[in-house]
Amino acid sequence: MATHAAKHALVYGGAGALGRAVVAHLRTLPHWTVTSVDFAANPDAHRNIALPPLPPNWTAAAESVLAATPGELDAVVCVAGGWVGGHAGDASFVQSVETSVAQSVQSSAVAAHIAAKRLNPNGLVVLTGSQASLSPTPGMIGYGLAKAAVHHLVRSLGAGTSAGLPTGATALGILPVTLDTPMNRKFMPDADFSSWTPLETVAAQVASWAEDPSARPKSGALVEVVTKAGVTAFTPVKE
Amino acid sequence: MATHAAKHALVYGGAGALGRAVVAHLRTLPHWTVTSVDFAANPDAHRNIALPPLPPNWTAAAESVLAATPGELDAVVCVAGGWVGGHAGDASFVQSVETSVAQSVQSSAVAAHIAAKRLNPNGLVVLTGSQASLSPTPGMIGYGLAKAAVHHLVRSLGAGTSAGLPTGATALGILPVTLDTPMNRKFMPDADFSSWTPLETVAAQVASWAEDPSARPKSGALVEVVTKAGVTAFTPVKE
């Protein structure tokens, strides 16, 4: 196998369940340096950038992360997020929208900006959407609309240089159904785990896209991550 | 013509250009009472609710507007919004996303919550999206993703009672291309105005939907508003 040039990935949300899996996978590839961005440090990363505490000031968060980000990046992976349920009649509805927007849209916007400013040509930016948001989500309206906004961001970034990305860069959205996290096992102990996607499977796919531009779907693609009977398929949504 | 029962509309963003047109049109119908919600008062409305000053606290805005909102409503029309350009590499990109989310998503979320809490059965809630957001918007990424979030909110509200709306209520999105406002005339003086949609045309369509449930598209519909050679068509997007 050919030797690899040194590469650098930034994982936004790198101390969360999926983030730790992505950091861990990239750490198995000796030519990758990994920086984690999160509220807490991930000791497995080479370098950590601490997010300012909530409530978030969007511009301040972007500026502080950008200032702390190493000069050149080959991959920006945003796996920050969270889940909030609720419909429009709930007393906490507007709060649920605000929380979901902060968790998913703010993090994705900052990650997109870092990608635009720091990615090398042919770099990769991956944002995390949700398969559920391809349809109406009446029982989790705030979460659904925030992920729909992330999907639109990915599609816009797919325009490439006119969206502010460097030449040859690829923007992809990953749209999981249910990830097999300790938190989901705790709250849904009776679910069919064979339809949940292992974190390592997602991490390996993202790393593969980061390694090899020719392995990537078309820039701007929203990639459904669907697991059935323990087998996971990554399928770009038809436009 | 049959006499009409007294009806009450709340126009969120009622002091803006489109909001004033909607208020003015409903005022021509003697059985409608109109409440305007905005930062500034609209003297043409029967009643005004003042929004708290920016920067917005989402929950506080929702609670204060809800507390000031009259008991029962037949229509909630959210025409608050704004426009911000910019791509992911702009220094102000993250700010542009935050601004667009505050202008379009926050206002729509509060309006949806008021609709859920206060609409009568068979009531109407109209939110304002953008035809541009049906496609990628690399030159106005924040605006585009915020309107995409509003579209998803409309689609979720289309689920009806499971989304928190009262029985028989209809949620619609209006997706204009360019509205013929004084501001747009000022900044695009050389445009083809025959492809711009007159505010009164939108106001009349919204009032017609408010008046007559049988005139409405299916709940959850995103209705494109396209004007060609001075003729405007309102066409639900195919799902």
Side-chain angles (χ1 to χ4, degrees):
Chain A
M1 199 168 171
T3 52
H4 294 277
K7 294 194 174 184
H8 196 149
L10 184 135
V11 182
Y12 203 103
L18 179 55
R20 289 196 305 275
V22 172
V23 171
H25 192 96
L26 287 169
R27 284 299 309 258
T28 67
L29 308 172
H31 52 292
W32 280 90
T33 298
V34 185
T35 296
S36 172
V37 179
D38 212 322
F39 300 108
N42 177 345
D44 200 25
H46 295 90
R47 181 173 176 160
N48 281 275
I49 297 175
L51 284 173
L54 293 169
N57 176 306
W58 294 44
T59 300
E63 286 175 356
S64 75
V65 175
L66 191 62
T69 296
E72 293 182 0
L73 297 169
D74 299 286
V76 174
V77 181
C78 180
V79 288
W83 184 88
V84 188
H87 66 48
D90 291 328
S92 60
F93 171 67
V94 172
Q95 177 70 54
S96 78
V97 179
E98 181 175 25
T99 299
S100 292
V101 165
Q103 289 177 331
S104 292
V105 181
Q106 185 195 25
S107 57
S108 297
V110 173
H113 185 55
I114 293 169
K117 289 293 194 188
R118 295 295 170 82
L119 270 187
N120 285 319
N122 307 314
L124 172 71
V125 51
V126 176
L127 306 179
T128 304
S130 167
Q131 199 264 356
S133 283
L134 297 175
S135 306
T137 56
M140 47 181 190
I141 294 183
Y143 177 83
L145 72 82
K147 290 301 192 183
V150 173
H151 295 179
H152 197 269
L153 173 55
V154 171
R155 294 181 67 205
S156 289
L157 292 174
T161 53
S162 67
L165 292 183
T167 308
T170 302
L172 297 175
I174 49 171
L175 280 55
V177 180
T178 306
L179 296 174
D180 192 353
T181 65
M183 190 79 86
N184 282 336
R185 290 235 179 196
K186 180 178 174 186
F187 287 103
M188 295 179 273
D190 300 324
D192 171 15
F193 301 141
S194 75
S195 70
W196 290 9
T197 306
L199 299 174
E200 165 59 19
T201 302
V202 179
Q205 179 64 76
V206 168
S208 156
W209 290 331
E211 283 278 82
D212 180 5
S214 73
R216 301 172 189 166
K218 186 183 164 198
S219 189
L222 303 174
V223 182
E224 289 190 77
V225 183
V226 177
T227 302
K228 285 183 182 165
V231 179
T232 299
F234 292 83
T235 311
V237 175
K238 287 179 186 169
E239 286 181 26
Chain B
M1 198 168 170
T3 52
H4 293 278
K7 295 196 171 181
H8 196 150
L10 184 134
V11 182
Y12 202 104
L18 179 55
R20 289 198 304 274
V22 172
V23 171
H25 191 97
L26 288 169
R27 284 300 309 260
T28 67
L29 308 172
H31 53 292
W32 280 89
T33 298
V34 185
T35 295
S36 172
V37 179
D38 212 321
F39 300 106
N42 177 347
D44 199 24
H46 295 91
R47 181 174 176 158
N48 282 275
I49 297 174
L51 285 173
L54 294 168
N57 177 305
W58 293 45
T59 300
E63 287 174 356
S64 76
V65 174
L66 191 63
T69 296
E72 294 182 357
L73 297 168
D74 299 286
V76 174
V77 181
C78 180
V79 288
W83 185 88
V84 188
H87 67 48
D90 291 327
S92 61
F93 171 67
V94 172
Q95 175 70 54
S96 78
V97 178
E98 181 175 26
T99 299
S100 292
V101 165
Q103 290 177 330
S104 291
V105 181
Q106 184 195 23
S107 57
S108 296
V110 173
H113 185 55
I114 293 170
K117 289 295 193 188
R118 296 296 170 83
L119 271 187
N120 284 318
N122 306 314
L124 173 70
V125 51
V126 176
L127 306 179
T128 304
S130 167
Q131 198 263 357
S133 283
L134 298 175
S135 306
T137 56
M140 48 182 190
I141 293 181
Y143 177 83
L145 71 84
K147 290 300 192 183
V150 173
H151 295 180
H152 197 268
L153 172 55
V154 170
R155 294 180 67 204
S156 290
L157 292 173
T161 54
S162 68
L165 292 184
T167 309
T170 303
L172 299 174
I174 48 172
L175 281 55
V177 180
T178 306
L179 296 174
D180 191 353
T181 64
M183 190 79 86
N184 282 336
R185 289 233 180 198
K186 179 178 173 185
F187 287 103
M188 295 179 273
D190 300 324
D192 171 15
F193 302 141
S194 75
S195 70
W196 289 10
T197 306
L199 300 174
E200 165 58 20
T201 302
V202 179
Q205 179 64 76
V206 169
S208 157
W209 290 333
E211 283 279 84
D212 181 5
S214 73
R216 301 171 188 165
K218 186 183 164 199
S219 190
L222 303 174
V223 182
E224 290 190 76
V225 183
V226 177
T227 301
K228 284 183 183 167
V231 179
T232 299
F234 292 83
T235 311
V237 175
K238 287 180 187 168
E239 286 180 27

